[in-house]
Amino acid sequence: MPATFSVTSVPVSRRRLLALPAAAAAGVAASSLPGDPASASSDRPRHLVDTTLAGPVARAYRYLDVVQDAYLKGAEPRLLQSYNNESGLMTASFVYDNALAMLAYLANPSVANVRRARLIGDAFLWIQANDEAFSDGRVRQAYAAGPMLFYGGGPYFPGLKREDGKAAFLWPFGFGGSSTGDMAWTGLALAQLYADTRVKKYLDGAVALGTWIADKQSPYAFGGYHGGLQADGVTPQKWSSTEHNIDVYAFFTLLAKLTRDRRWATRAETAAAFVQGMWNPDGPFLWTGTLGGNPGEDPNLINTGNIPEDVQSWSVLGLADRRYDSSLDWVLQNLWNNDGGTSTQLPAGVRVSGVTYSSQAKALTGTISGSDLPNHRNAVWLEGNGHMALALLARKGGGDRRIAKQLLAETVVAQRKVGAGQTVGLTADPHGGRLSDPGAGGSWTGTPLPDRSGIVAASSAFDTGFAFGYFQRQHVGATAWFLMAAQNFNPYR
């Protein structure tokens, strides 16, 4: 689960648990995508949802390339820093974001893109083999991508490889745990990389992650696979997440296909049964999962306190079960936002529409967890725009393609107008260009990111309702989902 870290505007990874609406109609009225001539590339995508996305997609790939090369170049395996330097998370690289980056590269599998995907895949395999305490195939929540000195004068992390030769997971942030969802996404990415390359080491890494997950069946009423292991790397989570079980179902189904081992299909059904138990036909929507994340909560009960977007769109993408298709309509009716005008962080005159993270993101007042910024209830979660665009393309209902194009067009507005001046990579610090707290005499100003390239996590800062927020920070995960959606690439399949 994500740690709460009280640095202003710190975005924390969310891997905890977990008819067109009138609100959307105004945003869809101007449904044409902005033209962009800046699309020259030898790796031009072949499956664009709209040809006018060529420029934005090319720039988004350029963003991923720059972030991947921010600290190391050439053939050295490495991870991508999840957010820009100024995010407060320094060089933190979440494995979820890096799995998405791998999959985004595979969405357009040119020679150059597959090479870049393999750099991440090789980093994952190295991490699996070089954990400080475990040899069971796990990865942790986040690692250092480059040199950083943690708050308060340490500890120091030189990058992915610690000075003792072990993998540098970021325990001071509380990122030492291994969530089931993170393991599944990492495994999916490795399995998809094997499917493209037929290099067996990637399938072996994926199978090791699948075996780790298979041992995490929940003993409580709804079954499925529980949330994984807490930050100490040992204590099991009591709660189970719908999101995680969707991920596991898709991952195990892919493993069954690639390995021809029917046990993976049987294990996948355990995850599918949990998801079915979370279905609320009166919504219609899926609940986020079960309780058990807080002391005294009963993990035999469903968590009804917050309804997220991702489990709705991912159920369509990951399970291909038509019973869940109507959950997309619930999202469009209940989680659509229009950001701009008053009470916004957007530049004057800029408006961005799309979906938000959850029902509580639209309701909470006060400041964001771990931040002194207010919750902007009209904010758009740009990663969610990618989820929904891709899910609507998969559903293929009347008007779905039109709304998907609108969601992508709104994301392009954010790409063009939000996030300028943010940086990545080595600083001017005399100690190897490390990132460190400016409030203590350090620096986290690196090299400016390319103009109009990365997608920020949020149009304005907002609270998810799960004790963390998203901010106007260029984000590998949001950018990767845009790339997959713009090319109609389903990472689960």
Side-chain angles (χ1 to χ4, degrees):
M1 60 184 283
T4 300
F5 186 67
S6 56
V7 171
T8 299
S9 303
V10 172
V12 177
S13 174
R14 61 187 171 79
R15 316 300 296 177
R16 181 182 174 186
L17 41 91
L18 306 173
L20 181 67
V28 175
S31 61
S32 59
L33 291 161
D36 194 321
S39 58
S41 171
S42 60
D43 297 328
R44 183 185 294 271
R46 291 165 287 180
H47 304 288
L48 288 173
V49 172
D50 191 293
T51 57
T52 56
L53 287 168
V57 164
R59 294 198 307 272
Y61 274 122
R62 174 61 178 157
Y63 163 81
L64 292 185
D65 293 350
V66 167
V67 174
Q68 186 173 54
D69 295 342
Y71 301 103
L72 293 169
K73 292 181 172 62
E76 182 77 14
R78 54 193 182 271
L79 298 181
L80 285 71
Q81 180 176 308
S82 289
Y83 295 91
N84 58 293
N85 282 11
E86 297 80 11
S87 70
L89 286 169
M90 299 189 180
T91 72
S93 303
F94 292 98
V95 294
Y96 166 71
D97 294 328
N98 278 268
L100 294 178
M102 280 180 67
L103 292 161
Y105 279 128
L106 296 177
N108 181 29
S110 65
V111 172
N113 283 351
V114 172
R115 181 185 69 83
R116 287 189 174 276
R118 291 189 65 176
L119 292 174
I120 305 170
D122 288 342
F124 281 151
L125 297 182
W126 182 85
I127 287 167
Q128 287 179 295
N130 289 278
D131 190 87
E132 69 170 27
F134 303 100
S135 57
D136 55 5
R138 75 177 67 187
V139 296
R140 311 289 188 121
Q141 184 180 4
Y143 297 84
M148 55 174 276
L149 182 69
F150 194 73
Y151 297 91
Y156 169 71
F157 296 88
L160 180 59
K161 183 181 292 187
R162 294 190 324 207
E163 291 169 330
D164 65 357
K166 297 298 184 181
F169 70 90
L170 292 177
W171 59 268
F173 277 120
F175 297 154
S178 298
S179 84
T180 296
D182 284 348
M183 303 307 103
W185 274 106
T186 305
L188 272 166
L190 287 170
Q192 295 282 24
L193 185 57
Y194 167 74
D196 269 25
T197 65
R198 294 294 159 172
V199 176
K200 190 172 181 296
K201 65 180 180 180
Y202 300 124
L203 181 59
D204 292 342
V207 168
L209 286 159
T211 302
W212 188 94
I213 295 169
D215 188 46
K216 305 300 181 293
Q217 288 195 38
S218 172
Y220 299 106
F222 288 95
Y225 297 93
H226 65 65
L229 300 180
Q230 297 181 24
D232 62 6
V234 176
T235 306
Q237 302 286 10
K238 293 183 177 181
W239 49 266
S240 297
S241 162
T242 309
E243 171 196 326
H244 291 185
N245 279 273
I246 292 168
D247 305 338
V248 171
Y249 174 83
F251 176 34
F252 284 2
T253 300
L254 182 57
L255 284 183
K257 177 181 177 181
L258 296 175
T259 65
R260 300 182 181 179
D261 183 343
R262 295 181 60 85
R263 289 177 297 177
W264 292 114
T266 301
R267 293 163 178 164
E269 289 306 316
T270 297
F274 177 86
V275 177
Q276 185 176 347
M278 295 299 109
W279 179 240
N280 175 19
D282 295 332
F285 57 75
L286 285 156
W287 298 111
T288 190
T290 60
L291 295 171
N294 296 311
E297 289 184 343
D298 184 354
N300 293 297
L301 300 178
I302 294 175
N303 180 353
T304 61
N306 198 6
I307 307 165
E309 176 279 324
D310 55 7
V311 301
Q312 321 306 332
S313 54
W314 291 11
S315 69
V316 173
L317 294 170
L319 278 72
D321 185 330
R322 304 298 295 191
R323 86 182 78 185
Y324 303 124
D325 282 4
S326 57
S327 67
L328 302 185
D329 299 319
W330 183 90
V331 172
L332 293 173
Q333 291 284 352
N334 294 277
L335 299 184
W336 188 275
N337 269 350
N338 299 296
D339 193 8
T342 60
S343 186
T344 182
Q345 288 185 308
L346 289 170
V350 175
R351 295 180 181 274
V352 176
S353 296
V355 299
T356 191
Y357 188 92
S358 66
S359 56
Q360 285 297 307
K362 289 179 69 76
L364 291 172
T365 59
T367 58
I368 299 167
S369 297
S371 171
D372 58 8
L373 292 175
N375 180 45
H376 293 83
R377 291 181 288 176
N378 292 324
V380 173
W381 183 39
L382 278 308
E383 181 182 325
N385 274 16
H387 300 168
M388 281 295 294
L390 194 54
L392 289 163
L393 291 169
R395 188 173 71 166
K396 299 180 182 178
D400 281 355
R401 189 173 183 87
R402 177 169 58 91
I403 305 171
K405 285 186 177 183
Q406 174 61 20
L407 287 163
L408 293 169
E410 297 291 345
T411 304
V412 171
V413 173
Q415 183 190 43
R416 293 170 56 222
K417 298 293 187 179
V418 189
Q422 296 177 5
T423 72
V424 73
L426 298 173
T427 72
D429 190 290
H431 300 90
R434 69 187 183 188
L435 275 70
S436 58
D437 183 8
S443 173
W444 51 39
T445 301
T447 301
L449 285 158
D451 290 341
R452 303 177 302 146
S453 59
I455 310 297
V456 294
S459 61
S460 296
F462 72 88
D463 195 310
T464 64
F466 289 113
F468 66 95
Y470 280 106
F471 303 85
Q472 283 186 338
R473 303 299 190 188
Q474 291 188 55
H475 181 209
V476 165
T479 304
W481 271 106
F482 167 71
L483 285 166
M484 291 188 287
Q487 298 171 92
N488 198 10
F489 175 81
N490 184 345
Y492 287 119
R493 298 277 164 201

